[in-house]
Amino acid sequence: MATALMRNLVSRAVICRGSHIKALKATGACTARAHLSSCVRVASQQQPTPSTMASYHFNVTIAGSFDEAIAKVTEELKKEGFGIISEIDVKATMKKKIDVDMPGYKILGACNPKLAYQAISAEADIGLLLPCNVVVREEGDAINVGFMDPAAVMGLVDKEGVAELAATVKGKLEKVQAALQA
C-alpha cells in the first residue's frame, strides 16, 4: 500500500509542489494518506500544464555561427569560474551511430570546481547530477543556448545548504546567459 501511495504522491507532486513528499517522510504513509487523498481529488480536476510544471532549464538565442557560439559560451562560462570537462558532439554521434543528419548540437559539461567540491562535500552522491549541462544547438539561422537549471535539479537533494549552493550556481549561469544576450 505504501508503494502505491508513493507512486500516487510523486505523480501528483507537480500540483502540490512536493509538500506531500516531506509530509510522507516526516509522518509516514498512514498519516499522510488523508492529506494525499485531498490532493488527489484536486489533482484529478487539474491537469499539469507547462505553466504549473517546474522548468528544468533556461535558454537564450544568439546570432553567429555554431563554432563561434561554442567559443563564446566557453569564454563566458570561464569568466564565472566554469571549465568544460566534457563535450558531447550529438550531431557527429548520431551520424556515426545511426547515420542521421541533424543540425549542430553539442552538450557542454560545465564545472565550477570550488562549487562542485562544496556540493560533493554536502552529499557524496550529488555527482550523479553533475556537471551543469549547457546545450548549444543550431536552430535555423540562430543558435540556441540552453542551461540546466541547477536549482530545479538540486531540488531533488534534501541536504542542508544544497539549495543555497544551487541558487549560487544558477546565478552564475544566469550571468553567462545575460552576457550572451549583450
Side-chain angles (χ1 to χ4, degrees):
M1 182 68 164
T3 302
L5 269 174
M6 183 59 85
R7 273 195 304 266
N8 204 352
L9 172 67
V10 170
S11 69
R12 306 299 184 196
V14 165
I15 302 297
C16 355
R17 303 263 182 221
S19 62
H20 295 298
I21 293 171
K22 289 180 182 169
L24 187 62
K25 285 180 182 176
T27 61
C30 295
T31 56
R33 189 174 297 133
H35 186 63
L36 175 62
S37 64
S38 68
C39 179
V40 171
R41 281 193 300 276
V42 170
S44 66
Q45 298 165 4
Q46 296 176 312
Q47 292 301 314
T49 65
S51 64
T52 62
M53 292 187 284
S55 181
Y56 60 93
H57 65 93
F58 47 97
N59 299 60
V60 62
T61 301
I62 61 175
S65 75
F66 186 74
D67 290 334
E68 289 170 343
I70 295 289
K72 180 73 171 165
V73 168
T74 302
E75 176 186 328
E76 293 301 331
L77 284 165
K78 188 175 183 177
K79 290 177 184 177
E80 291 300 321
F82 291 89
I84 304 301
I85 61 171
S86 64
E87 184 173 315
I88 302 168
D89 187 338
V90 177
K91 176 183 178 176
T93 301
M94 294 299 166
K95 182 64 176 173
K96 181 179 177 182
K97 299 289 184 178
I98 60 174
D99 196 28
V100 172
D101 291 315
M102 63 180 286
Y105 193 114
K106 284 193 179 181
I107 303 170
L108 306 176
C111 178
N112 181 309
K114 290 179 183 177
L115 297 175
Y117 180 75
Q118 289 176 23
I120 292 167
S121 296
E123 170 59 53
D125 287 330
I126 209 163
L128 294 164
L129 304 175
L130 301 177
C132 294
N133 285 322
V134 179
V135 173
V136 180
R137 60 185 170 86
E138 291 179 312
E139 195 172 79
D141 292 336
I143 306 297
N144 184 289
V145 182
F147 301 85
M148 173 195 77
D149 182 347
V153 175
M154 296 300 177
L156 297 169
V157 180
D158 190 20
K159 289 281 185 168
E160 188 174 325
V162 171
E164 294 81 6
L165 183 59
T168 299
V169 175
K170 182 176 182 176
K172 289 181 171 296
L173 292 175
E174 287 173 332
K175 287 180 183 177
V176 173
Q177 178 189 31
L180 293 171
Q181 287 176 316

